[in-house]
Amino acid sequence: MPGKPLSFILFLLSLNLTLSCTSEFEGEFPREAPMPVINAIITADSTISVTLSWTRRPNSMEAFVPITGAEILLWENNTLLDLPQETEEGVYLFNHSAKAGCIYRIEVSKSGMKTVSATTIVPENMEASVILEENPLGEWDKNHFKLTLGGPTDSMRGLWIVTTLNNNNGTSVEQASGLYCNSVLPDVFNRTYDSSVPDGYVYEYEFFIRIDAQSLNTTSQVLFFKPWTMSSQIDVFIITASEDYDKYFKTAWEQKSWDPEVDLPFSYQPIFIYSNITNGYGIFAGCNIQKFRF
């Protein structure tokens, strides 16, 4: 009988841990001075835009306060670009298009604020081709997409596959809410198994497929995929991500998608959204985008 009290105590302990981990915080978060936030995704062949704002309290529903009148210096490799124009409060636009393969460094300063800085790279495009072909296992939809990928360069860290469903005139209606894919190449953090998935697939991915670019160590690697719903016109986007872009969006998804009703609350570890900003928060990241229309 000596084991019975111990087992009862362990049961109470596990119950207490479960209940305590799922309780809601109803107090006040500690106040601290607001910090500057940089938000800038630099895309090859697109003009460069930088948004600046101040942080807000975690439980606040107020809009972010823009940082106006800041001085922004931006270097492309070692060349200082012309100063930007503040086109609206907190939004700064450079009259310059980003170039693939270039390193970008930013410094933001304002009276009374520490200089905020970050560095990133805009990677070259991953060599990729997408074709729409017949799916031999197709029942609901007779076609699916075949993606052929080349090898990565050092600046490529992630490959993100996104599709949008368009209407007949080519206007994007919505991003596909998920994709089917059976390949072993994609990351599994947004994947679920479902044996009832049609057309020969068993794995489904919410909203996108992410592949570790550095795992593509050979050329001509192939995977097949299809959106959950096909439409008369579909755009497929292949996003070649820098390390900063890749870490930011992956950690943001992991934090947003954690669900205490599904995941074990007593095994939860905090998920911090990646940031490469010195003396501030946010993201300054490069990427390259290929678009295929079907």
Side-chain angles (χ1 to χ4, degrees), residues 98-248:
K99 298 180 178 64
C102 289
I103 296 174
Y104 291 86
R105 178 167 59 92
I106 190 172
E107 290 185 0
V108 178
S109 58
K110 183 179 171 68
S111 177
M113 182 183 83
K114 288 185 177 181
T115 298
V116 183
S117 62
T119 301
T120 194
I121 188 170
V122 176
E124 301 283 352
N125 262 328
M126 170 73 73
E127 182 181 347
S129 66
V130 182
I131 61 173
L132 183 66
E133 68 174 32
E134 183 177 352
N135 178 5
L137 300 177
E139 298 175 1
W140 292 5
D141 294 310
K142 298 300 182 183
N143 297 317
H144 60 180
F145 293 106
K146 177 183 178 181
L147 170 63
T148 305
L149 298 168
T153 64
D154 291 340
S155 63
M156 302 173 184
R157 283 297 181 268
L159 201 69
W160 296 67
I161 305 169
V162 177
T163 62
T164 59
L165 310 178
N166 305 335
N167 58 24
N168 291 330
N169 64 9
T171 303
S172 177
V173 177
E174 62 180 352
Q175 178 181 341
S177 56
L179 301 167
Y180 299 128
C181 181
N182 286 348
S183 172
V184 298
L185 291 175
D187 203 338
V188 300
F189 67 100
N190 66 326
R191 187 185 78 177
T192 55
Y193 173 83
D194 186 351
S195 60
S196 65
V197 169
D199 304 325
Y201 289 98
V202 293
Y203 291 117
E204 52 187 22
Y205 295 80
E206 287 189 85
F207 292 105
F208 55 82
I209 292 172
R210 185 255 175 196
I211 298 172
D212 180 356
Q214 295 302 308
S215 70
L216 302 173
N217 50 16
T218 61
T219 59
S220 300
Q221 297 181 90
V222 175
L223 62 85
F224 297 91
F225 69 94
K226 67 181 289 291
W228 289 357
T229 303
M230 299 288 276
S231 68
S232 59
Q233 189 176 92
I234 296 177
D235 287 337
V236 177
F237 296 90
I238 308 298
I239 304 171
T240 304
S242 65
E243 181 177 10
D244 302 308
Y245 181 105
D246 192 51
K247 288 183 176 180
Y248 175 76

